[in-house]
Amino acid sequence: RYFSHQQGHIAAALFSAGAMELLKESFIAFHVSGGTTEAVLVSPDKENVFNTQLAARSLDLKAGQAIDRTGNLLGLSFPAGPELDKLSLLSERTFRIKPYMKDGNCSISGLQNKCEKMKENGEADADIAKYCIDYISQIISDMTKAVLDKYPGLPVVYSGGVMSNTLIRKRLKEDFGAVFAAEGFSSDNAAGLAVLASV
């Protein structure tokens, strides 16, 4: 049997969260990284373990790209996720953010322009980092709400490197009671492929 990169991430998240039983039902899976920002409807399949159907996505920049570009702007090392995470926790600011959404799909490109403007205006690096994380957090929250409007009551699973961020995980756990890939499994799809091969 052949499995996709995306299936590997989903299975790694389920395995590491102790939630493999979800493979017996339908659920929503988010994969948020430098290469992907999307949500899929996952349905059981006897031959392929499960099938996925696109439910929402970014229309331009991916969340991980935006984080890395903000990190580069602030002189952080690549990939910038871990350092931007720590830096954002030093900020006490809260931001009201209303990202552009269309039919549950998001646009992230405006985030880079806003962070560059904040830097030009001499705002603190910690506040710029916090704005970036709050923006991504709001986008994922808005996408989740839109997808759950279409598919009410389904469990939600998050994976991908961006989903290891402290503030993003905290908010989404509180808002949606979601399942997350354990630390170290957020960006790992190889473990998931091994799990699928054994199912």
Side-chain angles (χ1 to χ4, degrees):
R1 286 189 295 188
Y2 294 92
F3 299 108
S4 70
H5 179 85
Q6 184 186 64
Q7 282 179 300
H9 275 290
I10 293 168
L14 295 179
F15 175 75
S16 68
M20 290 295 287
E21 72 280 357
L22 285 181
L23 288 177
K24 297 172 185 171
E25 58 184 287
S26 294
F27 62 94
I28 304 300
F30 275 80
H31 183 199
V32 187
S33 67
T36 309
T37 298
E38 64 182 29
V40 294
L41 172 65
V42 181
S43 306
D45 182 274
K46 282 184 181 175
E47 272 188 41
N48 302 308
V49 186
F50 61 86
N51 289 322
T52 60
Q53 176 188 332
L54 186 64
R57 64 185 176 91
S58 170
L59 298 170
D60 43 46
L61 210 58
K62 308 303 179 247
Q65 287 178 305
I67 285 171
D68 286 331
R69 290 181 187 186
T70 302
N72 183 56
L73 177 71
L74 302 179
L76 306 180
S77 58
F78 179 88
E83 286 186 45
L84 198 76
D85 188 345
K86 287 178 190 168
L87 189 58
S88 70
L89 296 174
L90 300 176
S91 173
E92 295 181 0
R93 299 227 354 232
T94 53
F95 299 95
R96 290 176 61 83
I97 295 163
K98 189 156 178 52
Y100 174 79
M101 303 288 295
K102 183 179 181 183
D103 301 325
N105 301 311
C106 69
S107 172
I108 304 178
S109 57
L111 170 56
Q112 183 178 349
N113 299 333
K114 175 65 176 174
C115 289
E116 287 170 355
K117 190 165 273 189
M118 289 174 78
K119 185 70 173 171
E120 284 170 21
N121 292 339
E123 299 211 34
D125 285 359
D127 292 339
I128 298 171
K130 179 71 162 29
Y131 181 85
C132 175
I133 296 304
D134 281 358
Y135 196 103
I136 299 295
S137 182
Q138 187 64 54
I139 276 175
I140 303 304
S141 179
D142 287 354
M143 287 175 75
T144 304
K145 286 173 187 167
V147 172
L148 288 175
D149 280 346
K150 267 198 259 185
Y151 307 105
L154 293 188
V156 183
V157 177
Y158 295 102
S159 68
V162 173
M163 291 294 97
S164 58
N165 178 273
T166 305
L167 294 174
I168 296 174
R169 283 173 84 98
K170 183 174 184 292
R171 174 174 181 177
L172 296 174
K173 271 186 181 175
E174 288 172 358
D175 289 356
F176 304 106
V179 173
F180 281 84
E183 204 69 39
F185 284 85
S186 278
S187 55
D188 184 2
N189 80 309
L193 294 176
V195 169
L196 289 174
S198 70
V199 171

